[in-house]
Amino acid sequence: MAESRVVSNVANLSKYLKLDQKGAVMAEYIWIDGNNGVRSKTKTLKSAPKSLEDLPEWNFDGSSTGQAGGDNSDVYIRPVALYPDPFRGSPNVLVLTECWDNDGTPNKFNHRHDAARLMEAHAKHKTWFGLEQEYTLFDEWDNVYGWPKGGFPGPQGPYYCGVGTGKVFCRDIVEAHYKACLYAGVNISGVNAEVMPGQWEFQVGPCEGISMGDELWIARFLLHRVAEEFGAKISFHPKPIAGDWNGAGLHTNVSSEEMRKPGGMKHIEAAIARLEKRHEEHIAVYGSDNALRLTGNHETGAIDSFSSGIANRGASIRIGAAVAKEGFGYFEDRRPASNGDPYQITGIMVETIYGGLEPEVFNKE
């Protein structure tokens, strides 16, 4: 293990994880940086927090994360969600935070704040989301895991939900991540190997309101941390490999209380009609480099047009065959890229279907 610079020595670490912490708690503060990635650092607490009120506000150097200039670099992180820590074990915790500037306004990369306002304003609709997070595994030399060095595997076909050597790669990372999510209390609902070899998907949901974004970001953090221990890199790029290979998306399943009741199809159809009118606005916040993926091929719709259909994976919006038959349920927005921010995606979804809000006025400090 000494020759590796990237793989954690978990066996050696385990004996230290068992040491008595003398009543102290390690709290891992997590935030989203200026490049749509996750950052974290650890704070020692004197006792186990029972609620968010027990967690202090903290800060970091925003000039080192793309969130502030060097002349005014302090960015404050306010706890918004609390989870058990699957890496250090009880009583240690993971703390998801929002980023705020020192004048008392949300940092420009804090997309959670506006999404939370929208969710609260339209809470009566009890909007549920389920996100399907696709991702690709790379080794430390930036080769897709399982692919021949300097070459390509066989064409797509045997890899989706595959079983067996040569059909799936790095299942150990996937299984470890699944268990870590369950331990942390993330509402992970399943996993599967994807169409392109070396690509996987996990699903989170159903989650109501702002908790959807919270849980997906924690699941992403856990995936990166698990991959550290195996010397793997996680890519959320929507088209990691050019050519005749599937891209990676963040398919977004949506339902309101009205849609889930008998006769709910009329509410689904009304929502789709509103989505069509704001196609360009949605694409603008559905992730970067999405034009490389939304080509009309490889189970996608074209980026410059809007479409919907029953059981059609080449449409912008898909209504499941079972939903169409029963006349109520949910719909799937297949446009978001795998690197999309779930706060922006779920926020604009609620805004489009139920209406926007007046800009918030802050008393700057």
Side-chain angles (χ1 to χ4, degrees):
M1 187 60 69
E3 70 277 5
S4 174
R5 296 171 296 171
V6 296
V7 180
S8 299
N9 195 325
V10 179
N12 281 355
L13 174 63
S14 62
K15 62 185 179 183
Y16 297 102
L17 292 177
K18 297 174 184 177
L19 294 176
D20 184 5
Q21 295 179 193
K22 310 297 184 183
V25 171
M26 301 164 77
E28 193 72 11
Y29 278 56
I30 301 161
W31 69 93
I32 297 99
D33 67 14
N35 299 304
N36 201 40
V38 286
R39 306 275 183 138
S40 73
K41 63 177 184 174
T42 312
K43 188 177 188 66
T44 301
L45 306 177
K46 297 301 183 183
S47 60
K50 295 182 174 59
S51 67
L52 292 175
E53 287 68 32
D54 297 328
L55 295 164
E57 185 179 279
W58 206 8
N59 61 76
F60 65 89
D61 171 17
S63 69
S64 297
T65 64
Q67 292 170 273
D71 59 339
N72 190 13
S73 63
D74 286 357
V75 176
Y76 294 84
I77 41 181
R78 299 178 180 176
V80 294
L82 181 64
Y83 304 89
D85 187 340
F87 303 107
R88 293 166 172 150
S90 180
N92 305 300
V93 294
L94 305 178
V95 182
L96 183 65
T97 67
E98 276 190 16
C99 294
W100 289 72
D101 292 335
N102 60 17
D103 64 357
T105 62
N107 184 265
K108 63 181 178 180
F109 299 103
N110 176 358
H111 301 301
R112 185 187 189 277
H113 179 73
D114 284 341
R117 290 183 65 225
L118 284 160
M119 300 302 176
E120 184 178 357
H122 300 296
K124 66 180 181 181
H125 298 288
K126 295 181 170 58
T127 308
W128 293 358
F129 300 96
L131 298 185
E132 305 171 27
Q133 177 69 73
E134 294 176 335
Y135 62 94
T136 309
L137 289 158
F138 285 81
D139 65 21
E140 60 181 292
W141 298 281
D142 294 324
N143 300 304
V144 180
Y145 249 110
W147 287 35
K149 295 293 187 291
F152 296 90
Q156 296 180 155
Y159 311 111
Y160 173 68
C161 296
V163 178
T165 301
K167 297 180 181 178
V168 294
F169 308 98
C170 286
R171 193 185 291 274
D172 46 2
I173 293 176
V174 176
E175 294 290 319
H177 174 247
Y178 203 156
K179 291 294 288 285
C181 284
L182 291 172
Y183 181 92
V186 171
N187 188 22
I188 185 170
S189 47
V191 300
N192 61 268
E194 267 303 329
V195 177
M196 189 184 87
Q199 194 174 82
W200 290 81
E201 173 184 299
F202 65 89
Q203 304 92 34
V204 178
C207 298
E208 186 171 334
I210 198 64
S211 67
M212 182 70 262
D214 292 347
E215 297 209 9
L216 190 78
W217 273 115
I218 286 295
R220 285 177 173 178
F221 168 81
L222 294 174
L223 182 59
H224 283 296
R225 281 284 282 103
V226 167
E228 279 183 26
E229 299 187 3
F230 292 86
K233 298 178 182 180
I234 303 299
S235 171
F236 292 118
H237 194 279
K239 189 67 175 179
I241 302 296
D244 193 17
W245 304 99
N246 272 35
L250 184 61
H251 299 156
T252 301
N253 300 279
V254 185
S255 74
S256 65
E257 187 173 48
E258 300 89 348
M259 296 176 193
R260 294 189 292 271
K261 292 179 178 179
M265 183 58 72
K266 65 181 181 182
H267 296 285
I268 293 174
E269 291 171 346
I272 293 173
R274 295 187 183 103
L275 291 170
E276 182 174 14
K277 294 177 181 177
R278 300 190 73 201
H279 176 66
E280 292 182 359
E281 291 94 329
H282 279 250
I283 290 296
V285 297
Y286 273 8
S288 60
D289 292 323
N290 209 11
L292 300 176
R293 166 180 164 265
L294 294 181
T295 62
N297 298 315
H298 301 108
E299 302 181 58
T300 71
I303 195 169
D304 58 358
S305 63
F306 182 92
S307 60
S308 62
I310 297 171
N312 184 357
R313 283 179 163 76
S316 306
I317 305 293
R318 182 182 71 91
I319 298 174
V323 173
K325 182 179 180 180
E326 294 175 353
F328 61 92
Y330 70 99
F331 66 88
E332 176 192 36
D333 189 340
R334 298 180 58 79
R335 296 172 294 172
S338 49
N339 59 11
D341 185 322
Y343 295 133
Q344 289 185 290
I345 294 167
T346 58
I348 196 172
M349 184 68 68
V350 168
E351 179 184 71
T352 295
I353 297 173
Y354 301 117
L357 304 176
E358 291 294 324
E360 191 171 9
V361 177
F362 293 93
N363 294 320
K364 293 189 177 183
E365 299 173 0

